[in-house]
Structures are given as C-alpha cells and as structure tokens.
Amino acid sequence: MATLLPPPKRQKVYHGVPKPVLEPPKPTSNILVQFVSEDDGSALAPAVNLPADVSREGLEVLLNKLTKSDEPVPFSFHVDCPENVDAPPGPTRIVISKSIQSDILNHPTYANSFTEEDVFVVRCSPQSVFRVRPATRCSASLSGHASPILCASFSPTGALLATGSGDATARLWDLNTETPSHTLVGHKGWVLCVEWEAMERLLASGGHDGQVRLWDPKAGKPVGDALKGHTKWITSLSWEPIHLNPKSPRLASSSKDGTVRVWSTLTRKVEYTLGGHTASVNVVKWGGGGTSGFGLKNGVLYTASSDRTVRVWDADGGRQLHILKDHAHWVTTLTLNTDFVLRTGPFDHTGKRPSNDEEAQQLALKRYTDVLATTPELLITGSDDHTLFLWSLFPSSVPSSDMAPSQGKLKPISRLTGHQRQISHVAFSPDGRWAASSSWDSSIRLWEGRTGKYVATLRGHVGAVYRLAWSADGRMLVSASKDATVKIWDLKTYKLKVDLPGHTDEVYCVDFVADKVVSGGRDKHVKM
C-alpha cells in the first residue's frame, strides 16, 4: 500500500485583519571583550571582538579555546559595576547568565554606563570540574531520637552520618541504605556537637554534661571512658588537620566555662588548657596556619568567645599569638576558608581511599596547599553586633623569620555589614571564593571570600536562619531555618533553587555531602 502523505497544512486566515509584519531581528553590535582572571586580574587571552549576543556557554567554549586547556573547564563570568557616585549601594558586580547583550547592555540600572565602544573586562573564575545534583525530594525520614536533634555531621567520605540529640544519645546512620546503624549511649546530658576525625577513624561528641566522648564509628562502641575536665557544657569540637598529624590527631574542645582543652587521643589526657577568655568560648577551629609555616608546626587554634574577642593560639604549646578585639558583642560563629579541606582531609570527590597514613598526609597537604595557592588562610567571625569581620592573620608573603607576635592592634581586611539582627552562622565555600552568612533577620548574605565585598542577598525564609552548608562544588548553598523549611539556593542566579519542606517544626541543623542533604530539628526526625 502506498504511503499516504498527510494533507497540506492550512494557511492561517486573517479575517479582514492585515497580516502582521514579521519584526526583523534586532541588529546586535560587536563589542571588544577582554577576559581576565578573577584571582589576580591578569589577562587570560588577548582582547577579542565578538557579537554582543554570544551566549554564556559560547563564551566558555571560546575561553577554553583561547587558553588552550586540555580539558574544558567550566567558568563563571561577571563584570564589575562602574562606580558612579549617586548609585544606590548594591551588588558590586553583574553576573553574566545569558549573554552580554541581555545581562549588561539591557541591564535595568547600569545599561547607560556601558557603551558598545568600551572594552568589556569580563572576570572569569574557574568552577569545580565535578557537579553536584541538587536534592529535590525527601528520600528518607528517619525517626529514632526521642527529643530534638541538635547537630548533624557527615563523615568525610560521605558514607556515614552522625546526629546528636537532646535525648543524650548520638546516632550513626548509614547513608547508602539510609538506615540507622548504631546508637551511641553514654552522655548524661544533651549531645550538643558531633565532629568526625578527618580520616573517619573516630567520632567525637560533646555534651551538656561537660564531657567529651570518643567513639569507634565502625563498631559503634565508645573508645575508652569520657574525657572529663570541663566544668560546663561543650560548645564546639575541632580535630587537628590530617596534613599536620596523620597518625593520631588531637582534639580541641571549647566550653561554656571559658576554656579550651586540647586532648591527646592516645593518652586520653589534657595536653594543655587555653585560659584567657573571660566568658563562654563559643567556637574553636583548628587551622593549618598558612603554608609558609611561620614556625607553627602544628597549626593554630582560633577561638571565638562571648567576651567579644577572638583569640589565636599556637597549637604546639598553647601560646597566644593574637587577640582580635573589634566586635562589640558576643562572637558566636567563625569560619576558615580552608574549613572544607581540613574537614575532609585526604578524601576528594573521586572517592579513592589512601592506603596508609603517609599517603593520606601527602594527599591532605596537597589539597590544603591547592586552596592556599592564591590566598592566605582567612577567617570570618560573626557576632551578635549584627556584623562580620574578615581577617588575614598569616599573610603568605611574610618571611618566616619574623616570629615576634605583631605589636599593636591587628586590623581586619573588611567589615561585612548589612544584616539587621544577630548573625547565626557563617561559612566559606569549599574553594574559599565565597562566604555566606545567615542571620536572625531571616536573610542570607553572600560575600566575596577574599575581599569581603557584598555580592547578593538570598531572601525567602520567613523565620530566623540557623545553619548553612555548601555543596562540595560550591554552586549551591543549603539553609535551615526556624520556619521549618530547608532551602537550596542556586548561586548562578542567586535565587531559590529547591524548597525542601517536610519538617513540622524548627530545623536546627543541616549538612550537605555529594548529592545528599540531611536536616534535623525540633520534630525529632532526620530527613534526607
């Protein structure tokens, strides 16, 4: 049988209406574009002349061709805003998300300040090569805790999850099967913080009873008895980085009693106690102290306290190096630009395990120095005075002979203002390029991680935002709030990407690993 052709398509009939004229495509002009690196402002390629409506993907392909890179590297592009005096204070950059034509030449406020004769200086920052899928649905809701979940933390490889709760237990969950694996019983009060050792060999938990306990995550058994010594509850824990001590890293714990104790995991005794703070120490972080060493073989301890100061200590014997006294109220949160690398130690997104301690140390050291190749170790402190400060205490260019603690008052690089209420949490992105801060004013603000310039505000929560977590590729941010939702934000557009409802009460903690988001809160359920 012969194939029947479909009948020809009927022409549209305009009954007494003249046929509309097809509007000609708008002529696009050619512009000069100069690609420069965001890190140091050096030109990546000679200036090129191209049509203004080349898409963002086209710019990326072009840049990879011009720089002759072996593998295509994803880039993000932005143009710095012109500084005009009468402009309202706002973001300092325009991100190119579609094309130069639509994002810059047709920009609602800055369109007049760019003409087609200018050379457009487009700043490029390489993105991580792997991508993290956004979580879209709740795959598991795990009950088990008998009272609110106060803290949650993924293990460095992302295979296990630890949660601590007000029922005085910590629980381990297996993430591959999304089932509970062990319950860690022993604390006499609420479990306020859980922290993984970066090689995943031990888990530490700190409780309201002032005790620190160590656990073996594989067996779910306690390792020895509690580490006693603090007179009030534990506010935070931090392990020694793997690249400084791969065999048996030490553990630092800070407490409401105003001290920080450093414990040896082998002898289970206090190596030394850091006194000096006159009120509760809220956060302790164990940093690497920069790459040039400064004679600091064991890194540095950063402590933030309710006595309005941040103190920096040499982790070798507990000698005090600096006191930072710029905040006007309690300092409640602190982050390092190397946090993610220190926490995951030798494990990166490829997922291979080091065979022995030496190899682990080399891998961890390599990842640490990669982050610090273009920047010193920076820290951001957030306080109840509604502001944050960005500090650089160990500039990478200083000769290491200069060991005398600097006299006079250390100045922060910049003061990050804009929040209207107390700061609840601040976190650097894994590559250290961005920092995000959350506040009781129910907004999240993004800042440039090296200069502290304000980038954008993420609005959408209707209650205080308690915690933030970055995805490993730095392209998404997840936030937990008092309004019982968890939200994932897309950092290309600075808009809400996914809203994860499901909790029935305040969400106190959130963590993000690979493509899993986990959250826990007052409704006693862990959701993934």
Side-chain angles (χ1 to χ4, degrees):
M1 181 180 152
T3 316
L4 280 177
L5 286 174
K9 194 172 171 201
R10 259 188 335 170
Q11 288 302 315
K12 185 167 180 189
V13 193
Y14 294 91
H15 297 284
V17 184
K19 187 172 175 180
V21 201
L22 287 173
E23 54 179 82
K26 288 200 182 103
T28 66
S29 46
N30 278 12
I31 50 174
L32 271 177
V33 174
Q34 166 80 57
F35 293 109
V36 301
S37 151
E38 193 195 11
D39 293 336
D40 46 7
S42 58
L44 295 174
V48 282
N49 188 346
L50 46 138
D53 57 352
V54 175
S55 67
R56 202 198 75 79
E57 290 72 27
L59 291 173
E60 203 167 274
V61 174
L62 176 73
L63 184 58
N64 276 308
K65 281 273 187 299
L66 289 171
T67 52
K68 300 185 176 58
S69 51
D70 310 332
E71 298 181 353
V73 178
F75 282 94
S76 67
F77 302 104
H78 66 267
V79 173
D80 284 348
C81 299
E83 267 126 23
N84 37 0
V85 189
D86 51 350
T92 50
R93 52 170 57 182
I94 311 173
V95 176
I96 300 175
S97 56
K98 291 197 191 74
S99 67
I100 294 186
Q101 176 83 44
S102 61
D103 287 331
I104 296 172
L105 293 174
N106 305 339
H107 191 278
T109 46
Y110 294 112
N112 317 335
S113 38
F114 290 105
T115 63
E116 286 142 15
E117 269 72 58
D118 300 345
V119 176
F120 284 79
V121 179
V122 175
R123 300 181 175 276
C124 322
S125 56
Q127 305 276 293
S128 53
V129 191
F130 60 98
R131 282 209 95 106
V132 172
R133 290 187 310 228
T136 49
R137 59 198 172 82
C138 176
S139 62
S141 182
L142 307 173
S143 56
H145 279 299
S147 60
I149 296 164
L150 307 174
C151 49
S153 169
F154 280 114
S155 69
T157 56
L160 293 166
L161 163 77
T163 56
S165 158
D167 59 10
T169 66
R171 277 174 186 260
L172 287 173
W173 312 85
D174 183 336
L175 283 185
N176 299 323
T177 57
E178 303 192 342
T179 52
S181 68
H182 296 291
T183 305
L184 315 177
V185 186
H187 280 290
K188 304 204 171 33
W190 304 339
V191 181
L192 299 175
C193 43
V194 285
E195 201 63 51
W196 289 89
E197 185 239 5
M199 291 272 289
E200 217 175 81
R201 293 172 296 203
L202 289 168
L203 172 71
S205 62
H208 199 272
D209 51 8
Q211 295 177 356
V212 179
R213 286 176 181 266
L214 297 175
W215 311 88
D216 172 4
K218 292 202 175 50
K221 299 270 187 296
V223 181
D225 199 30
L227 311 176
K228 299 188 173 85
H230 284 297
T231 54
K232 286 199 175 139
W233 61 89
I234 311 290
T235 53
S236 93
L237 297 164
S238 185
W239 287 92
E240 186 166 20
I242 288 294
H243 67 265
L244 301 173
N245 185 348
K247 290 266 187 298
S248 58
R250 295 172 295 171
L251 175 70
S253 62
S254 66
S255 164
K256 177 80 166 89
D257 61 14
T259 64
V260 172
R261 288 171 183 262
V262 174
W263 311 85
S264 154
T265 48
L266 296 176
T267 61
R268 318 182 51 76
K269 294 203 168 42
V270 180
E271 293 210 350
Y272 51 87
T273 306
L274 307 176
H277 281 297
T278 53
S280 157
V281 183
N282 297 319
V283 196
V284 59
K285 287 270 195 236
W286 200 313
T291 42
S292 51
F294 287 97
L296 305 172
K297 296 282 175 290
N298 292 12
V300 277
L301 286 162
Y302 302 90
T303 57
S305 159
S306 294
D307 63 5
R308 307 200 299 266
T309 66
V310 176
R311 290 172 193 246
V312 185
W313 318 77
D314 178 357
D316 212 6
R319 187 176 97 246
Q320 183 167 306
L321 301 173
H322 306 299
I323 308 185
L324 315 176
K325 294 184 170 164
D326 275 310
H327 279 297
H329 207 304
W330 300 347
V331 189
T332 50
T333 172
L334 179 153
T335 177
L336 306 174
N337 60 354
T338 50
D339 265 354
F340 180 76
V341 195
L342 299 179
R343 172 181 154 181
T344 50
F347 303 111
D348 57 5
H349 62 277
T350 54
K352 59 179 200 297
R353 298 189 77 96
S355 49
N356 56 15
D357 288 348
E358 282 67 42
E359 189 191 342
Q361 181 166 18
Q362 278 142 19
L363 280 167
L365 186 60
K366 179 179 173 306
R367 293 186 65 206
Y368 181 70
T369 45
D370 285 354
V371 170
L372 294 188
T374 53
T375 162
E377 188 163 71
L378 304 169
L379 78 149
I380 291 186
T381 55
S383 155
D384 280 8
D385 62 7
H386 315 348
T387 67
L388 305 107
F389 281 107
L390 171 70
W391 311 84
S392 168
L393 303 177
F394 303 103
S396 34
S397 52
V398 176
S400 51
S401 59
D402 178 30
M403 265 311 293
S406 52
Q407 298 305 315
K409 190 170 167 187
L410 282 152
K411 279 281 167 260
I413 299 181
S414 65
R415 181 169 190 233
L416 317 184
T417 58
H419 281 298
Q420 269 102 44
R421 300 278 303 276
Q422 290 90 327
I423 310 291
S424 58
H425 192 206
V426 58
F428 266 106
S429 67
D431 57 7
R433 280 177 195 283
W434 310 100
S437 60
S438 66
S439 160
W440 293 78
D441 64 10
S442 63
S443 73
I444 300 160
R445 279 173 188 262
L446 278 176
W447 317 87
E448 267 181 54
R450 317 232 163 126
T451 57
K453 283 204 188 92
Y454 163 71
V455 180
T457 305
L458 310 177
R459 299 191 184 278
H461 280 296
V462 291
V465 188
Y466 289 145
R467 293 291 293 186
L468 300 169
W470 287 83
S471 68
D473 61 358
R475 289 191 179 96
M476 289 176 286
L477 180 70
V478 57
S479 57
S481 161
K482 180 175 177 161
D483 64 14
T485 66
V486 174
K487 292 185 182 348
I488 298 183
W489 307 88
D490 181 7
L491 298 183
K492 272 215 167 73
T493 58
Y494 305 124
K495 296 274 188 296
L496 181 64
K497 189 165 194 150
V498 194
D499 196 353
L500 303 173
H503 280 287
T504 53
D505 209 333
E506 308 184 9
V507 189
Y508 290 139
C509 55
V510 67
D511 204 353
F512 199 137
V513 72
D515 40 20
K516 286 202 164 109
V517 174
V518 73
S519 58
R522 196 158 158 185
D523 61 1
K524 308 172 196 163
H525 282 262
V526 179
K527 289 192 186 291
M528 297 190 190

